[in-house]
Each structure stands twice: as structure tokens, then as C-alpha cells.
Amino acid sequence: MIGCLCLHGFTGGSYEIEPLATYLKEHTDWLIEIPTLPGHGMSLALHNVGYKDWIETAEQRLQVLKQKVDRVYVIGFSMGGMIASYLAANYQVDKLVLLSPSRRYLNIKQMVADIGDMIKDKMTGHLQENMLYQNYQHKKGAVPLRAYVEFLKCMKCTKPSLKQITCPVFVAQGIQDGMVPYRVTHYLDKEIPIDIDVIYYLDSRHLICLGKDKDVLNKSVHNFLITKKEKAISTAL
């Protein structure tokens, strides 16, 4: 039995990774877990929680999952990718998937382009259809300064784990990511001590599981995670 723990990003929730999780549920018999980190979800409550709460929750859910399965895979998006790296370095994890991992953050050039797109959509009456605008509206006024400080602490705490990862790693990164520069993958390749599989997605922004490339992404992640035996069966079918 295989278990898969999926971790969302900072100020996000399970919805950020839900399309991928749903795809895996439909194409495997794996046990898929998508915990909501403390203070996160559709209604943010980040005033009294911190990075230790987020990491501890991920650790607890991983330990519970490991008791139910023979093998475990961990998938992490953005901040969840760094927490997933921490888990892979400190626990027995069979495979690791990093989606837009926030090893480094803030792609200023792309952020300016994204703002330009929102201005165009506003002028043409399509602003409500803009995914970045919808995400901003959801979080507007709900993220205290303290939460950003905790995010930085989380990055500082989890970064050393990259050098301790030994399991197979797949990284997916959007070229149009306004939060995490796509060149961040070059640093990951130097820090993680094993060869990693990397795919860049031309039309994807930061919310890579919800973007234009999501169908291709789902297949790529699934193909990386399934065993050689499962690939042979899939090919035969």
C-alpha cells in the first residue's frame, strides 16, 4: 500500500493542490492525505500560529500515514515544498515532489507583468476571472505581518534539509511564476546531493496545480511516482 502526503503553501489551503490529488486518487489506489496547516484554509487565522505549528502538523500527519502504508510519497507546493523537503530529510520517504518550492522567492519582473495583466483585465471587464486577483482578494487583510515573519523562519529552518535528501526528487516549476523565480531550480540542483528530475512549464504561474499546464503536470507527477511495475501495467492497458 502506498500513501501520499500533499502539503499546500503559505496562506493557502488544500485547494491549491486538489486537482493533482484528485488525479492521483482517480488513477491509483493510494491513500492520499491533504492536511490543512494551522491557520490556513479558506478562512485564514494566522495571528496565533507559527512555522513550528506548520512543521509539527506535517510531521504528525506523516507519522500517522506511515503507520497505514508500506511506502510513502510526499508532495509539497511552495512553502509546503520546503516542509516536504524537511520531512524527506528527517524521515523515511520514498519519493519527493516539489511544486514551485519557495527556496527563493519574489520574481519582481514577473510580478510587474502580472499586475499589468490585472490592469488589462480590469479595463476589459474580466478582472473577476483573473485567478491572481481572486487569490489576492481572498487573502486581502487576512495575513498579519507576524505571519510573514513566520514564513521566513520556516524557510530558514527547512533550507538545510535540502542537503540531506537522498530519495528520488521531481521538481515542477512555472516559467511565469511571480512569487518564485524559475531559476530557483538551479539552486536546488546544487543543494540537493542527488540528481533531480526537473520540468519547466511555460504557461504556468505560481499556482501551478491550477494553471494552464495542470493536465500535463498531473500526468508528469503520476509518471514519476508510479513504480516500474505499475508503468508496465499502465502501458499494457
Side-chain angles (χ1 to χ4, degrees):
M1 181 69 174
I2 294 174
C4 188
L5 181 69
C6 304
L7 302 174
H8 62 75
F10 176 61
T11 71
S14 60
Y15 63 89
E16 294 179 320
I17 204 167
E18 186 67 41
L20 173 58
T22 299
Y23 182 90
L24 293 177
K25 289 178 181 177
E26 293 174 347
H27 291 80
T28 70
D29 58 355
W30 303 347
L31 180 58
I32 312 292
E33 298 282 349
I34 320 176
T36 298
L37 301 178
H40 289 73
M42 294 305 295
S43 297
L44 298 177
L46 293 164
H47 289 82
N48 298 310
V49 295
Y51 80 98
K52 291 183 179 179
D53 300 307
W54 306 332
I55 293 176
E56 288 175 2
T57 296
E59 287 179 312
Q60 292 169 1
R61 295 299 292 266
L62 176 65
Q63 291 171 342
V64 171
L65 181 60
K66 286 175 69 68
Q67 293 175 359
K68 302 177 182 178
V69 300
D70 304 307
R71 284 182 289 162
V72 64
Y73 304 148
V74 180
I75 300 174
F77 163 70
S78 194
M79 181 184 78
M82 295 304 292
I83 295 177
S85 298
Y86 173 88
L87 296 179
N90 290 279
Y91 298 89
Q92 178 60 46
V93 169
D94 294 278
K95 291 185 180 181
L96 174 65
V97 175
L98 304 178
L99 309 171
S100 308
S102 53
R103 162 62 181 81
R104 295 194 175 192
Y105 33 87
L106 293 185
N107 184 343
I108 301 300
K109 182 178 179 180
Q110 185 59 48
M111 288 180 69
V112 171
D114 291 342
I115 292 172
D117 289 341
M118 282 191 277
I119 293 174
K120 291 179 183 178
D121 286 341
K122 182 177 181 179
M123 294 177 64
T124 57
H126 296 95
L127 185 59
Q128 295 300 326
E129 301 171 16
N130 187 294
M131 185 181 298
L132 290 176
Y133 176 76
Q134 293 175 5
N135 196 45
Y136 167 76
Q137 286 295 98
H138 163 58
K139 300 175 182 179
K140 184 178 179 181
V143 185
L145 177 60
R146 178 183 181 278
Y148 289 107
V149 174
E150 292 301 311
F151 166 78
L152 295 176
K153 290 180 180 179
C154 186
M155 296 304 97
K156 183 178 180 180
C157 174
T158 55
K159 178 184 171 183
S161 300
L162 295 171
K163 297 182 181 297
Q164 303 170 30
I165 295 172
T166 58
C167 67
V169 179
F170 172 79
V171 181
Q173 178 66 50
I175 295 294
Q176 299 184 44
D177 192 331
M179 294 301 297
V180 178
Y182 70 88
R183 294 182 180 86
V184 70
T185 308
H186 302 328
Y187 295 97
L188 287 174
D189 192 40
K190 291 181 175 63
E191 291 176 312
I192 297 176
I194 59 172
D195 291 334
I196 62 177
D197 294 332
V198 181
I199 296 182
Y200 294 99
Y201 293 86
L202 183 62
D203 295 322
S204 290
R205 300 179 188 274
H206 189 56
L207 293 169
I208 194 168
C209 292
L210 305 177
K212 296 179 180 179
D213 297 312
K214 63 180 182 296
D215 293 336
V216 178
L217 172 69
N218 291 343
K219 293 178 181 178
S220 297
V221 173
H222 177 241
N223 189 57
F224 169 75
L225 292 176
I226 59 177
T227 64
K228 292 181 179 179
K229 180 179 179 180
E230 290 170 323
K231 287 181 182 179
I233 293 175
S234 177
T235 301
L237 294 176

